[in-house]
Amino acid sequence: VWKAELADRIEEVLDRKRSSIQGREATLAGYIRILTSRYAEEGIRGKETELVASFLKSVKLETSEKEAILAIKALAMTLITSPSEVIYEAASSPLKRTVSNSSSIATKTAAIHTLGTCTFYGGASDDEILENMAYLLEIISSDGHFIDAGDQAGPVTAALEEWGFLATLIEDLSAESEEAIETFMDQLSSSDPDVLIAAGENIALLYEKSYTPPEDNETFSDSDEDLVTDPDSGPSIPKLVKRYTPYRRTDQLLYSLSSLASLSTRSISKKDKKSLHTNFADILNSVENPTRGPRYQNAINSETGRRYGS
């Protein structure tokens, strides 16, 4: 049944001539619902280019905020369902124009998220990935002013989250690390919990990425200080090599992270305070011990004498 419904929604997406704004909104919502709840790659196979072109038309015209946001989300779901090597080239510039020119903060935010998805799944090269990471960093460092969304938490949070998402694609971020962490540290003074957590998670990620397993042709002595073995890890856990120092002022960074991990203020809700404490305890642990990863339990197992770990 859902396959037939998907075919109907695709036909409606592609046939815009007799459609109304409300009709297109309903069609896009139905398309997104199916792709979110079902694996529908077979149903959209071979139609991706036409679908993306129709979605981009809705984005460009922005006849209504709702239609534009649904079209942006539909584009993202299409790429997640059926990754493409050619969609990035068609979609990246229109999405960036929407990020810059839309008068709607919600539309800008959705477009930033889909730009990240498009870069990840749409066939972008390493240079294009780094270019978009620099673009996102500009949004973050300007507190949104770069895209006429000054001091708006939504677009800044989206840029932070997509920067971290794309960073997972780049093996060596040694050249970008210092400036990026400096930018993320500036966001640790934000009053918005989502901005704080997204900035902190990116900092933790950069510290974790500064360590990698030894290459097959590399040899290290046990006394080499760049070769790290967690004393609480078992013998099956591989040793890691510190490749670079992600940030020169780790002491300053640790102070800021510790403050957020134990933040006590009445200006935020109990739920947000709990979320900040939980997340920044993990972030702080990752910066102090980058080889351990998130949700690492420092409690000692009475039987083994080791920490419970991840």
Side-chain angles (χ1 to χ4, degrees), residues 6 11 27 36 60 71 79 83 85 92 95-96 113-114 148 204 210 217 233 237 268 280 286:
L6 175 60
E11 185 178 344
T27 293
T36 304
K60 180 181 179 181
L79 275 169
E85 293 298 314
S92 59
L95 286 170
K96 282 185 178 179
H113 280 304
T114 294
D148 292 328
S210 67
N217 60 350
S233 297
I237 304 299
I268 60 173
F280 275 94
S286 287

Side-chain angles (χ1 to χ4, degrees), residues 139-308:
I139 296 172
I140 299 161
S141 64
S142 70
D143 293 326
H145 288 281
F146 180 63
I147 56 167
D148 292 328
D151 300 317
Q152 294 285 338
V156 174
T157 301
L160 283 161
E161 290 173 347
E162 297 309 322
W163 192 98
F165 183 42
L166 297 182
T168 63
L169 292 172
I170 303 297
E171 187 172 335
D172 181 3
L173 284 168
S174 55
E176 290 77 22
S177 186
E178 183 83 20
E179 180 188 357
I181 291 178
E182 194 77 54
T183 298
F184 302 146
M185 275 191 68
D186 287 343
Q187 293 301 321
L188 296 183
S189 61
S190 172
S191 60
D192 186 272
D194 292 334
V195 170
L196 290 169
I197 291 168
E201 288 178 341
N202 283 352
I203 291 169
L205 174 64
L206 285 167
Y207 270 79
E208 290 170 359
K209 284 182 72 67
S210 67
Y211 288 78
T212 66
E215 300 289 341
D216 292 338
N217 60 350
E218 288 183 305
T219 56
F220 296 90
S221 66
D222 289 339
S223 61
D224 196 315
E225 61 182 25
D226 286 338
L227 187 66
V228 177
T229 305
D230 191 329
D232 293 310
S233 297
S236 63
I237 304 299
K239 297 179 178 180
L240 296 173
V241 181
K242 182 179 180 181
R243 299 298 181 182
Y244 55 89
T245 299
Y247 186 62
R248 288 172 293 178
R249 292 298 307 278
T250 297
D251 55 338
Q252 179 185 348
L253 175 59
L254 289 173
Y255 177 80
S256 298
L257 296 176
S258 298
S259 299
L260 287 163
S262 57
L263 184 68
S264 178
T265 176
R266 293 182 179 179
S267 63
I268 60 173
S269 69
K270 184 181 287 188
K271 180 183 176 183
D272 285 340
K273 193 183 298 184
K274 182 179 179 182
S275 180
L276 285 172
H277 287 178
T278 302
N279 281 281
F280 275 94
D282 273 347
I283 291 161
L284 180 61
N285 190 57
S286 287
V287 172
E288 290 179 322
N289 303 286
T291 62
R292 288 180 174 176
R295 294 290 186 269
Y296 189 92
Q297 297 185 53
N298 286 308
I300 304 294
N301 185 318
S302 59
E303 294 182 6
T304 65
R306 295 180 183 274
R307 301 182 194 275
Y308 282 100

Side-chain angles (χ1 to χ4, degrees), residues 90-103:
S92 59
S93 292
L95 286 170
K96 282 185 178 179
R97 278 196 296 273
T98 299
V99 172
S100 296
N101 299 336
S102 177
S103 59

Side-chain angles (χ1 to χ4, degrees), residues 8-28 54-55 57-59 61 63-64 67 71:
D8 289 343
R9 298 295 82 75
I10 290 173
E11 185 178 344
E12 289 165 2
V13 167
L14 299 180
D15 183 14
R16 298 174 57 94
K17 290 181 180 177
R18 292 182 297 276
S19 63
S20 65
I21 296 172
Q22 290 76 17
R24 290 193 297 273
E25 291 172 355
T27 293
L28 290 165
S54 181
F55 299 146
K57 191 164 186 177
S58 289
V59 174
L61 293 174
T63 310
S64 76
E67 181 185 349

